[in-house]
């Protein structure tokens, strides 16, 4: 039986940092952000629907969607965000389901679904266990501004478009505190996996 873990958090809380650690342990990670990018490439169904809703102004010269422009719109407008979600999320779900089926066929011990909006989008039915990567608001804001070179206002708009991280704590099976060092985060991850019956030895495929 494949154990399916849902890895979630908030924007810039450290999901990619944890998913890199998981990949280093040879665990397959399916990343919703990557699937969402693929789903809106030129020519895809979602691409066409986005242009129909948002107009050609959101395109770059090469015809691909200008993610910066679309982000500036949807992170400041709840209705438009819901419209975009309604177009993109079903495609992301389909793509993830296909990958889950493949991983199950390959008899993977564990697979991890990295889904930022796991709780907001009520996708927990896809997974057996959930891990929340938690940081406090101050750290989240600081790291998001630094990583994406955003102003305080831009960063706050993105954070406020998601369920507060503190509210996700009670919804998760395990919480990893990522306010500290990367090493401390790795230790907690190994601890959670070991509580669920996996250790370094049985994780690594020879
Ligand atoms: C708005 C878009 C174009 C911005 O692209 P950009 O390259 O700047 O950001 P990226 O896609 O890497 O997302 C970064 C983070 O933003 C947050 N985020 C993205 N979309 C949303 C959303 N609709 N609601 C809340 N948070 C979101 C997530 O934490 C995500 O990890 C893009 O995020 C998008 O198409 N979003 C809609 C699809 C979606 O919900 N993706 C998130 C997981 S399925
Ligand atoms: N423990 C840590 N100490 C210092 N910096 C960290 C730590 N964890 C993550 N970071 C940094 O914080 C930023 C956000 O981390 P990461 O990209 O892993 O978050 P994320 O949850 O995947 O973000 P998003 O969902 O927005 O893509 C990155 O610049 C990363 O290098």
């Amino acid at each position: 039986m494949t154990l399916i873990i849902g890895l979630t958090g908030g924007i810039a809380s450290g999901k990619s940092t944890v998913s890199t650690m998981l990949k280093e342990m040879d665990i397959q990670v399916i990343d919703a952000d990557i699937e969402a990018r693929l789903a809106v490439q030129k020519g895809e169904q979602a691409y066409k629907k986005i242009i129909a809703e948002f107009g050609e102004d959101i395109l770059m010269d090469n015809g691909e969607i200008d993610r910066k422009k679309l982000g500036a719109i949807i992170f400041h407008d709840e209705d438009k965000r819901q419209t975009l979600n309604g177009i993109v999320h079903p495609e992301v779900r389909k793509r993830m389901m296909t990958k889950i089926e493949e991983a199950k066929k390959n008899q993977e011990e564990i697979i991890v679904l990295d889904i930022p909006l796991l709780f907001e989008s009520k996708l927990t039915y896809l997974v057996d266990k959930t891990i929340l990567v938690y940081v406090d608001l101050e750290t989240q804001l600081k790291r998001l501004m630094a990583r994406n070179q955003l102003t305080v206002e831009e960063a706050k708009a993105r954070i406020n478009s998601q369920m507060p991280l503190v509210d996700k704590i009670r919804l998760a099976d395990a919480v990893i505190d990522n306010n500290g060092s990367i090493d401390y985060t790795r230790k907690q991850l190994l601890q959670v996996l070991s509580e669920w019956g996996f250790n370094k030895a049985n994780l690594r495929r020879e």
Side-chain angles (χ1 to χ4, degrees), residues 9-18 33 114 116 133 143-144 146-148 178-182 185:
I11 189 161
S13 74
K15 295 176 304 298
S16 302
T17 303
V18 170
D33 280 342
D114 178 344
V133 185
R143 288 184 187 163
L144 177 56
R147 191 194 60 184
N148 290 29
N178 188 37
N179 286 296
S181 69
I182 299 280
T185 293

Side-chain angles (χ1 to χ4, degrees), residues 133-150:
V133 185
Y134 177 80
V135 284
D136 58 44
L137 195 52
E138 198 186 328
T139 306
Q140 186 180 19
L141 192 60
K142 209 170 63 191
R143 288 184 187 163
L144 177 56
M145 287 171 66
R147 191 194 60 184
N148 290 29
Q149 286 161 358
L150 298 178

Side-chain angles (χ1 to χ4, degrees), residues 117-199:
L117 305 176
L118 181 74
F119 295 128
E120 288 91 335
S121 301
K122 301 189 172 48
L123 291 176
T124 45
Y125 71 91
L126 287 175
V127 303
D128 303 308
K129 294 273 190 195
T130 55
I131 298 179
L132 173 71
V133 185
Y134 177 80
V135 284
D136 58 44
L137 195 52
E138 198 186 328
T139 306
Q140 186 180 19
L141 192 60
K142 209 170 63 191
R143 288 184 187 163
L144 177 56
M145 287 171 66
R147 191 194 60 184
N148 290 29
Q149 286 161 358
L150 298 178
T151 63
V152 177
E153 286 70 30
E154 287 169 331
K156 280 187 175 163
R158 281 164 168 71
I159 291 172
N160 291 338
S161 72
Q162 304 183 339
M163 185 190 295
L165 266 176
V166 74
D167 291 347
K168 294 186 180 179
I169 291 176
R170 67 188 166 81
L171 302 175
D173 294 312
V175 179
I176 292 179
D177 173 359
N178 188 37
N179 286 296
S181 69
I182 299 280
D183 243 19
Y184 179 51
T185 293
R186 185 178 290 107
K187 270 195 195 119
Q188 294 173 79
L189 175 64
L190 289 172
Q191 177 66 32
V192 170
L193 292 175
S194 126
E195 276 164 20
W196 292 347
F198 297 91
N199 58 45

Side-chain angles (χ1 to χ4, degrees), residues 9-12 15-16 31-37 40 50 65-72 74-75 81-82 84-85 88-89 92 96 114-117 120-121 123 144 147-148 158-163:
I11 189 161
K15 295 176 304 298
S16 302
D31 185 325
D33 280 342
I34 292 178
E35 299 307 322
R37 272 167 199 265
V40 303
I50 290 171
I65 288 169
D66 186 334
R67 305 179 66 83
K68 237 182 138 155
K69 259 194 195 160
L70 188 54
I74 68 112
F75 289 120
R81 189 165 63 248
Q82 294 308 339
L84 181 66
N85 289 350
V88 183
H89 288 180
V92 174
M96 294 190 91
D114 178 344
I115 311 183
L117 305 176
E120 288 91 335
S121 301
L123 291 176
L144 177 56
R147 191 194 60 184
N148 290 29
R158 281 164 168 71
I159 291 172
N160 291 338
S161 72
Q162 304 183 339
M163 185 190 295

